[in-house]
Amino acid sequence: MSGQTWEIPSGFIPIYPGVDYTPPPIPSVDGPAQHVLKIPVAGPAPFNTLAVVRGRGAIGSGLISDDEMHRTVWRVSTHLKIPSYDPDRPVLDQLRHSTAASIVAMSSGGQIGIEHDDGSDFQVAVDEIVAEPYVDEDTKRFYVDIRTANLHNQTSSVDYLEMTSWVLYYDPATKPLDEQIVVIIPTFPDPIDTAAVIPGAAGEEWH
Amino acid sequence: MAELDVTDPAQVASHQVLEADLGIGGRRLVVASGIARPEWKIDSDEVHRGDWTVHLHIPADRIEQVTTHVGLASIGNDDTGYGFATDTASVTVNPTTGELDLTVGLALMGEPSTLNRFAYQVVAVVVSTVSEISGTIRWPRRLFEPPTLSVSDTAPHFTIQLNDRETRPSGGPFGGVIETLTPILAGEVTLVAMTDTEVRAKYRILNPPKGRELRVTVATDIRAPGAGSVLVGPAAGVEDVFTLTLDDPGRSGVDFELVVQVIA
């Protein structure tokens, strides 16, 4: 985990009655944290960079057990910054993204409630990735909004999602592909010393 | 085996496709993400397994590299032991449509349990070969003689279209079908040539879709002299209705002729 810092996810309460569970670590938005993979691409214009980022967030509204569906939109942060982002232009003119999110962790406690019967049930859902992402106009950080839902009746659980987002955007720091010339410099190995002792070879003691 | 289609929001939510030109030999990096909705419910204390295929509608004649992630997105249970799993995932090129299909193996147990949704992300490097429909449009030189052999002098007089073709029974006493054509691609004139008696315009329609019944249509604004009218139709022996496949991705010789029908 060197080079990464972690923080407790938003909405996390350290003690969940009845649920002995620690949530998955979530990369800090302020530290060096999770790396962003950036790939130079030739297009489509005006884009020249493809980035891969991951983020984590909570699902639903926590440990409420009232047999009601609780729908929540979570804004999942990433470590990608869109340097050319202009808040006065539509965001989808400035980037494209393809994002998937699924349940990464789920832990349930025992049956709870004043009266116990055979009616406990749950639903945990990542329903939709909001097509239009959010970019902070000050930090230029890229976020994805995810619609989630959960329902608990006479039980409760803590649930988290992980998302992977591929983002196509323009980065002035990315060099055009035709400028990224790879020069292969031939190297000449040292002469092989055939008299050298090869470890493990026949005649050599090997420990 | 059940099938889900990304064009139907009731079957797949949040389908997002991102394509990047890798700048090498027509290779494209394709990222397709979404949330499929099998809405699978069972009432059993035994694990049930099944495959779901998601039709992604991404053209790709060949997959060079692919990696796929799938995961649970919406699950539920009512007061029993349960099991939920996305066990397997694979991506193939559908041999009929030439498009990517994602097949996911799911497992479910509970009395009852529901596996309403699963998330997917397909990352692939694909190669699409250029295919085309081509042919020649011919007409008598006396009917219309372009001032030059430049394509720009002839092309504006023709509307060349590739259409999706659907038919349904007409329901009348004599049988027959009613044809519905939906334009999907436009063709272009690429070359014009003349003989002493005839003008020929070559045309092409690039990258036609596979696995669908298609019909090429040509319309013209060329008028017949006098009281006649100009009709455009396929040349004798030419089939202008066909279905393309991965093994047969293009069609040549789809020729048309302009004929003058004289009104008596």
Side-chain angles (χ1 to χ4, degrees):
Chain A
M1 293 296 173
S2 62
Q4 300 189 356
T5 59
W6 305 94
E7 66 180 12
I8 299 299
S10 59
F12 174 68
I13 302 169
I15 301 172
Y16 280 118
V19 181
D20 180 15
Y21 182 69
T22 301
I26 291 185
S28 166
V29 295
D30 299 316
Q34 196 172 53
H35 297 291
V36 176
L37 180 65
K38 295 180 181 177
I39 307 163
V41 294
F47 309 120
N48 67 350
T49 307
L50 182 63
V52 190
V53 291
R54 291 206 169 88
R56 286 177 173 175
I59 296 174
S61 53
L63 285 168
I64 301 171
S65 181
D66 59 0
D67 202 19
E68 298 285 338
M69 189 68 78
H70 294 269
R71 300 187 186 278
T72 310
V73 180
W74 287 97
R75 177 158 288 172
V76 180
S77 65
T78 76
H79 305 290
L80 174 66
K81 293 186 176 181
I82 311 295
S84 58
Y85 177 67
D86 177 357
D88 294 327
R89 295 173 51 214
V91 65
L92 289 178
D93 286 354
Q94 302 179 62
L95 60 86
R96 302 270 192 279
H97 77 114
S98 181
T99 302
S102 58
I103 300 166
V104 68
M106 175 183 171
S107 183
S108 173
Q111 196 171 33
I112 59 174
I114 298 172
E115 294 183 4
H116 292 181
D117 56 24
D118 61 356
S120 74
D121 55 272
F122 71 85
Q123 183 78 40
V124 178
V126 178
D127 279 329
E128 182 188 354
I129 312 296
V130 177
E132 184 167 321
Y134 172 76
V135 180
D136 186 284
E137 64 180 76
D138 295 322
T139 66
K140 301 185 186 299
R141 190 181 295 277
F142 173 81
Y143 298 80
V144 178
D145 291 340
I146 299 180
R147 297 188 197 283
T148 69
N150 64 1
L151 174 152
H152 295 109
N153 180 33
Q154 296 185 23
T155 184
S156 59
S157 64
V158 287
D159 317 303
Y160 289 90
L161 64 84
E162 181 169 88
M163 69 158 206
T164 302
S165 190
W166 291 67
V167 187
L168 193 57
Y169 66 106
Y170 176 74
D171 187 339
T174 300
K175 290 181 180 177
L177 281 178
D178 55 6
E179 288 183 14
Q180 297 183 349
I181 300 170
V182 178
V183 179
I184 301 173
I185 302 172
T187 57
F188 300 95
D190 293 329
I192 299 172
D193 182 0
T194 54
V197 176
I198 303 173
E204 169 72 7
E205 281 193 34
W206 182 249
H207 301 283
Chain B
M1 171 86 78
E3 298 185 50
L4 302 169
D5 196 301
V6 298
T7 59
D8 184 351
Q11 298 180 24
V12 177
S14 302
H15 180 65
Q16 300 163 313
V17 179
L18 181 153
E19 291 193 16
D21 178 1
L22 296 178
I24 311 166
R27 286 167 176 78
R28 294 177 295 138
L29 180 73
V30 178
V31 183
S33 310
I35 298 172
R37 304 177 63 180
E39 308 289 354
W40 187 20
K41 181 175 183 178
I42 63 164
D43 190 351
S44 172
D45 61 357
E46 295 183 356
V47 175
H48 291 243
R49 301 180 194 280
D51 287 341
W52 267 257
T53 293
V54 183
H55 298 302
L56 299 172
H57 290 299
I58 296 171
D61 294 325
R62 185 160 54 91
I63 299 173
E64 276 200 344
Q65 301 176 60
V66 64
T67 179
T68 305
H69 167 83
V70 293
L72 300 170
S74 178
I75 55 176
N77 172 264
D78 189 355
D79 200 41
T80 64
Y82 51 79
F84 308 95
T86 50
D87 281 331
T88 60
S90 62
V91 177
T92 55
V93 177
N94 185 311
T96 302
T97 64
E99 298 174 333
L100 298 183
D101 280 350
L102 165 68
T103 300
V104 177
L106 303 178
L108 183 60
M109 186 268 284
E111 300 175 281
S113 279
T114 55
L115 200 167
N116 302 92
R117 301 180 184 218
F118 64 85
Y120 61 86
Q121 186 163 72
V122 174
V123 182
V125 175
V126 299
V127 179
S128 293
T129 54
V130 176
S131 59
E132 66 176 30
I133 296 167
S134 62
T136 302
I137 307 166
R138 297 192 288 188
W139 64 93
R141 190 166 173 171
R142 58 183 165 73
L143 181 62
F144 168 67
E145 182 175 326
T148 72
L149 294 181
S150 168
V151 168
S152 61
D153 283 328
T154 296
H157 295 285
F158 293 96
T159 303
I160 305 160
Q161 287 184 322
L162 183 65
N163 306 275
D164 266 334
R165 180 177 187 261
E166 290 181 279
T167 57
R168 58 185 169 86
S170 63
F174 305 107
V177 296
I178 295 174
E179 179 185 62
T180 303
L181 298 179
T182 306
I184 51 174
L185 288 172
E188 58 183 356
V189 174
T190 57
L191 185 69
V192 179
M194 272 194 283
T195 66
D196 290 344
T197 59
E198 193 176 65
V199 186
R200 298 178 180 183
K202 287 192 172 183
Y203 78 90
R204 67 180 180 186
I205 302 168
L206 292 176
N207 295 320
K210 305 171 186 74
R212 296 146 66 170
E213 190 170 47
L214 306 169
R215 180 166 206 162
V216 180
T217 56
V218 176
T220 183
D221 64 2
I222 295 172
R223 295 284 174 258
S229 60
V230 174
L231 302 178
V232 189
V238 168
E239 182 56 71
D240 62 339
V241 176
F242 43 80
T243 299
L244 302 176
T245 65
L246 199 58
D247 294 330
D248 185 17
R251 196 60 54 99
S252 60
V254 186
D255 299 337
F256 287 82
E257 290 179 340
L258 274 63
V259 294
V260 177
Q261 185 181 50
V262 178
I263 301 170

